Amino acid sequence: MSQHPNLQEIARNRMSPFTKMLGVEFKFIEKGLCTLLLPIREEHFNGTARVHGGVIFSLLDSAMGAAAFSVLEPHESTATVECKISYTRAVIGGELECFGKVVHAGTRTVVVDGEIWQDGALVAKALGTFARI
Protein backbone atom coordinates (compact mmCIF):
# COMPACT_ATOMS: atom_id res chain seq x y z
CA MET A 1 0.00 0.00 0.00
CA SER A 2 1.42 3.40 -0.92
CA GLN A 3 0.69 6.30 1.37
CA HIS A 4 -0.45 9.75 0.45
CA PRO A 5 2.45 11.89 -0.77
CA ASN A 6 3.64 14.68 1.49
CA LEU A 7 1.69 14.27 4.73
CA GLN A 8 2.82 17.72 5.87
CA GLU A 9 1.01 19.21 2.87
CA ILE A 10 -2.08 17.28 3.92
CA ALA A 11 -1.76 18.74 7.41
CA ARG A 12 -1.64 22.26 6.02
CA ASN A 13 -4.56 21.80 3.61
CA ARG A 14 -6.86 19.29 5.34
CA MET A 15 -8.28 21.69 7.93
CA SER A 16 -11.94 22.37 7.19
CA PRO A 17 -13.60 25.73 7.85
CA PHE A 18 -15.18 24.08 10.91
CA THR A 19 -11.90 22.87 12.44
CA LYS A 20 -10.30 26.24 11.69
CA MET A 21 -13.20 27.95 13.47
CA LEU A 22 -12.65 25.68 16.49
CA GLY A 23 -8.95 26.62 16.53
CA VAL A 24 -7.59 23.09 15.98
CA GLU A 25 -3.86 22.99 15.19
CA PHE A 26 -1.81 20.15 13.64
CA LYS A 27 1.15 19.11 15.77
CA PHE A 28 2.23 15.87 14.08
CA ILE A 29 1.20 13.50 11.32
CA GLU A 30 2.77 10.40 9.81
CA LYS A 31 1.38 7.19 8.37
CA GLY A 32 -1.26 5.93 10.81
CA LEU A 33 -0.71 8.61 13.46
CA CYS A 34 -1.91 12.15 14.04
CA THR A 35 -1.62 14.61 16.93
CA LEU A 36 -3.74 17.75 17.14
CA LEU A 37 -3.80 20.58 19.68
CA LEU A 38 -6.69 22.74 20.81
CA PRO A 39 -6.11 25.83 22.92
CA ILE A 40 -9.37 26.33 24.83
CA ARG A 41 -11.24 29.57 24.15
CA GLU A 42 -14.34 31.13 25.67
CA GLU A 43 -16.41 29.99 22.66
CA HIS A 44 -15.77 26.33 23.55
CA PHE A 45 -17.69 26.44 26.84
CA ASN A 46 -21.20 25.19 27.55
CA GLY A 47 -23.65 26.75 29.99
CA THR A 48 -21.91 25.19 33.01
CA ALA A 49 -18.49 26.75 32.26
CA ARG A 50 -17.01 23.48 30.99
CA VAL A 51 -15.82 22.67 27.47
CA HIS A 52 -18.80 21.43 25.43
CA GLY A 53 -18.79 17.70 24.68
CA GLY A 54 -19.25 18.48 20.99
CA VAL A 55 -15.92 20.31 20.97
CA ILE A 56 -14.23 17.28 22.55
CA PHE A 57 -15.88 14.95 20.02
CA SER A 58 -14.95 17.20 17.08
CA LEU A 59 -11.32 17.22 18.14
CA LEU A 60 -11.27 13.40 18.40
CA ASP A 61 -13.07 12.96 15.07
CA SER A 62 -10.59 15.30 13.39
CA ALA A 63 -7.48 13.53 14.74
CA MET A 64 -8.84 10.07 14.04
CA GLY A 65 -10.01 11.11 10.56
CA ALA A 66 -6.59 12.52 9.71
CA ALA A 67 -4.90 9.34 10.96
CA ALA A 68 -7.27 7.27 8.82
CA PHE A 69 -6.66 9.53 5.81
CA SER A 70 -2.90 9.07 6.19
CA VAL A 71 -3.09 5.33 5.37
CA LEU A 72 -5.32 5.65 2.29
CA GLU A 73 -4.29 5.40 -1.33
CA PRO A 74 -3.76 8.80 -3.01
CA HIS A 75 -7.08 8.53 -4.92
CA GLU A 76 -9.14 7.68 -1.79
CA SER A 77 -10.95 9.78 0.77
CA THR A 78 -12.59 8.89 4.07
CA ALA A 79 -15.74 9.52 6.11
CA THR A 80 -16.70 8.68 9.67
CA VAL A 81 -18.97 5.62 9.85
CA GLU A 82 -19.30 5.38 13.64
CA CYS A 83 -17.59 6.51 16.82
CA LYS A 84 -17.84 5.49 20.48
CA ILE A 85 -16.57 8.08 22.94
CA SER A 86 -16.10 8.01 26.71
CA TYR A 87 -15.65 11.33 28.48
CA THR A 88 -13.47 10.90 31.57
CA ARG A 89 -12.75 14.43 32.81
CA ALA A 90 -14.35 17.85 32.56
CA VAL A 91 -12.24 20.58 30.93
CA ILE A 92 -12.38 24.15 32.21
CA GLY A 93 -9.51 25.73 30.25
CA GLY A 94 -5.94 25.25 29.08
CA GLU A 95 -4.90 23.25 26.04
CA LEU A 96 -5.90 19.79 24.85
CA GLU A 97 -3.66 17.32 23.03
CA CYS A 98 -5.42 14.73 20.89
CA PHE A 99 -3.94 11.56 19.41
CA GLY A 100 -5.35 9.43 16.60
CA LYS A 101 -3.81 6.01 15.88
CA VAL A 102 -4.87 3.53 13.21
CA VAL A 103 -5.37 0.09 14.75
CA HIS A 104 -6.62 -1.63 11.58
CA ALA A 105 -6.60 -0.57 7.93
CA GLY A 106 -8.89 -2.89 6.00
CA THR A 107 -9.96 -2.84 2.38
CA ARG A 108 -13.26 -1.04 3.12
CA THR A 109 -12.81 0.54 6.54
CA VAL A 110 -10.15 1.91 8.86
CA VAL A 111 -10.47 1.52 12.65
CA VAL A 112 -8.84 4.27 14.68
CA ASP A 113 -8.21 4.76 18.40
CA GLY A 114 -8.35 8.31 19.78
CA GLU A 115 -7.43 9.95 23.07
CA ILE A 116 -7.42 13.48 24.44
CA TRP A 117 -5.04 14.38 27.25
CA GLN A 118 -4.55 17.48 29.36
CA ASP A 119 -1.74 17.89 31.86
CA GLY A 120 -1.16 14.14 32.13
CA ALA A 121 -4.85 13.30 32.63
CA LEU A 122 -7.10 11.47 30.16
CA VAL A 123 -10.01 13.69 29.09
CA ALA A 124 -11.72 11.39 26.56
CA LYS A 125 -11.19 8.07 24.78
CA ALA A 126 -12.76 7.02 21.48
CA LEU A 127 -12.80 4.24 18.95
CA GLY A 128 -14.01 5.05 15.46
CA THR A 129 -14.57 3.39 12.11
CA PHE A 130 -13.91 5.29 8.91
CA ALA A 131 -14.98 4.31 5.41
CA ARG A 132 -12.54 4.14 2.53
CA ILE A 133 -14.20 6.09 -0.27
Side-chain angles (χ1 to χ4, degrees):
M1 175 189 309
S2 62
Q3 77 178 36
H4 275 281
N6 197 347
L7 288 176
Q8 295 310 313
E9 186 67 21
I10 291 170
R12 283 191 294 277
N13 296 319
R14 184 139 163 82
M15 301 299 281
S16 70
F18 178 72
T19 52
K20 287 179 184 176
M21 186 238 357
L22 283 178
V24 174
E25 303 168 2
F26 263 96
K27 180 177 179 182
F28 174 82
I29 188 166
E30 70 175 33
K31 187 174 182 181
L33 300 170
C34 180
T35 304
L36 301 179
L37 300 175
L38 181 65
I40 299 304
R41 303 187 317 235
E42 182 179 336
E43 298 86 8
H44 296 141
F45 291 100
N46 62 21
T48 63
R50 291 172 177 84
V51 173
H52 193 285
V55 172
I56 302 295
F57 177 82
S58 294
L59 181 58
L60 279 162
D61 188 50
S62 297
M64 293 188 306
F69 192 78
S70 74
V71 300
L72 301 180
E73 297 294 330
H75 67 277
E76 292 181 307
S77 186
T78 188
T80 308
V81 173
E82 62 84 29
C83 185
K84 166 31 173 129
I85 182 171
S86 296
Y87 299 91
T88 57
R89 181 172 184 245
V91 177
I92 57 171
E95 183 175 74
L96 301 176
E97 189 170 29
C98 185
F99 304 94
K101 179 182 177 185
V102 172
V103 295
H104 174 74
T107 58
R108 294 187 179 179
T109 61
V110 179
V111 178
V112 185
D113 182 68
E115 294 183 349
I116 296 179
W117 290 81
Q118 184 181 49
D119 301 327
L122 182 67
V123 170
K125 174 90 174 148
L127 185 66
T129 304
F130 295 79
R132 295 177 83 122
I133 301 172

